[in-house]
Amino acid sequence: MSAKISACSVISVLKFLPEVWVFSQVPGVSNIYINETNCRYEAAEVCTDDDDAKVGISELRKNIVNELKMHDAVLEEWGIDLVKECTINPATAKYTDFLLATASGKVEGVKAAKLATPFEKTKLAAYTLGAMTPCMRLYAYIGNELQVFLEGEKNHPYEKWIDSYASEGFQASALQTEDLLDKLSVTLTGEELDIIEKLYHQAMKLEIQFFLAQPLVQKAIIPLSKDHNPAEQRLTIFSDFDLTCTIVDSSAILAEIAIITAPKSDQNQPENQISRMSLANLKNAWGDLSKQYMEEYEQCIEKILLTEKAEKFDYGRLCRTVEQLSDFEKRANSRVVESGVLKGLNLEDIKRAGQQLILQDGCTDFFQSIIRNENLNADIHVLSYCWCGDLIRSSFSSGGIDGLDIHANELIFQESLSTGEIVKKVESPIDKVQAFSKILMNCRNDKKNLTVYIGDSVGDLLCLLEADVGIVLGSSSSLRRVGNHFGVSFVPLFPGVVQKQKMYAVSDSSSWTGLSGVLYTASSWAEIHAFVLGS
């Protein structure tokens, strides 16, 4: 079993918990359960029957002693008396009690056994390591992530703490702990491995609760919803659909439906139904359209990049240049309509395909969390080039999301069969930014809008820049190339928020404003969820 992999999904939400910004209490209260961790390592060392594992655990115990010395040095520098000034909060006690119970063999769902055989002792050592490994992995992760705070800073109050957990030695210790857990788990049954997995996740939850229990000593700018005043502010979320919310492009889905349901060349078609291409002709037509689209798209991007590069952010020239891309997209859509490839698609087939459409991990959870929060005063708008809004609506509806405003093109149907015509509403980057502006104009003026736009392509670029917070999901090279050409800066979301937090500490202003020329990059919807809503 690989404990190191299962940590990733749990700790990703920690990136933007405001409690991570400040550690004024952590070195003190950490000592309490680090002492406890040392004792549990000792118990694991006694239990294991493997000589190599004993040596490994012994080394980890030495590292724990050094860690305690580092914490004591920090406390001494701050003039804090741990005994007099720090009390154990319930979250810390809950974690240490959990470690004690696990190391003593009191594991939920497991009968207490006498440690009579080497196997029983090794199993208990594995359970104990399973409960302790998250501590090492989480601190190694946080140490690495918080190093950005030290950039350009002299005498940062938490420098010693951060450097210690970001050090190669501590990173190696975290890896060594995981390797030991894997080693001790080799002889265990599937049921016993499931127990270790439960212990691991329980420990990670208790670790996160420990951080959440520490009091904040400064205001934080995130999550965005934390200081959001619903009575005075409206949070407006905009998102692209294809490849931002989805795994595949919707045009590929519609092409698949068309090809699967296309009549064969020798098949007679009902006289009262819309005439359709044969299967062979349809495949050829789709192939030609796709090839022409990709070739002309690349040519259009290269033509944009041949213009003079901006020395600084130049939104006006970017808008004028992107009009070339808008014209291209409209011509491509006209070719699709003229080809007839969309003729005869059944509306029910499209809805079923939408219901089966796979969305990006975390996308559904994010939208559901916003919709279910009645006190947030938030709206969600999806702006998409998709040819069929029904496909989008059914994909979200199947995930229990019905509160989204969908702005997309629509197929025209006669008795549930597509005529092949498109009601063209959102075809281009210009159409998208016009729809974006119109939505905001139609909002009531009694509240201030805070806008967030999430997208992945050049077609989203203008909206991303217009929004107060523009978040680029994924790694589109054409988006970055065009953006960089016109002076747009791309900043990873976490370091970007850190810089905002530093500015806020100086100016007491955390305003997010559009047209700054800065876009934030994220690798997952989990990051976006944590940034906007917290854990």
Side-chain angles (χ1 to χ4, degrees), residues 314-354:
D314 192 337
Y315 183 72
R317 195 155 68 86
L318 173 61
C319 286
R320 292 190 295 273
T321 308
V322 167
E323 287 179 3
Q324 299 175 37
L325 189 60
S326 293
D327 292 340
F328 153 73
E329 293 286 3
K330 290 180 179 181
R331 289 196 305 272
N333 278 347
S334 294
R335 285 198 298 268
V336 169
V337 173
E338 290 164 8
S339 71
V341 293
L342 295 175
K343 277 187 179 181
L345 297 187
N346 189 297
L347 178 59
E348 291 307 311
D349 289 337
I350 291 172
K351 288 181 177 179
R352 276 194 293 272

Side-chain angles (χ1 to χ4, degrees), residues 7-8 89 188 208 249 310 348 360 370 378 383 435 465 471 479 485 495:
C8 296
N89 66 44
L188 302 187
I208 292 172
D249 192 279
E348 291 307 311
Q360 299 269 9
I370 290 178
L383 304 183
L465 291 164
I471 302 176
L479 169 61
H485 193 75

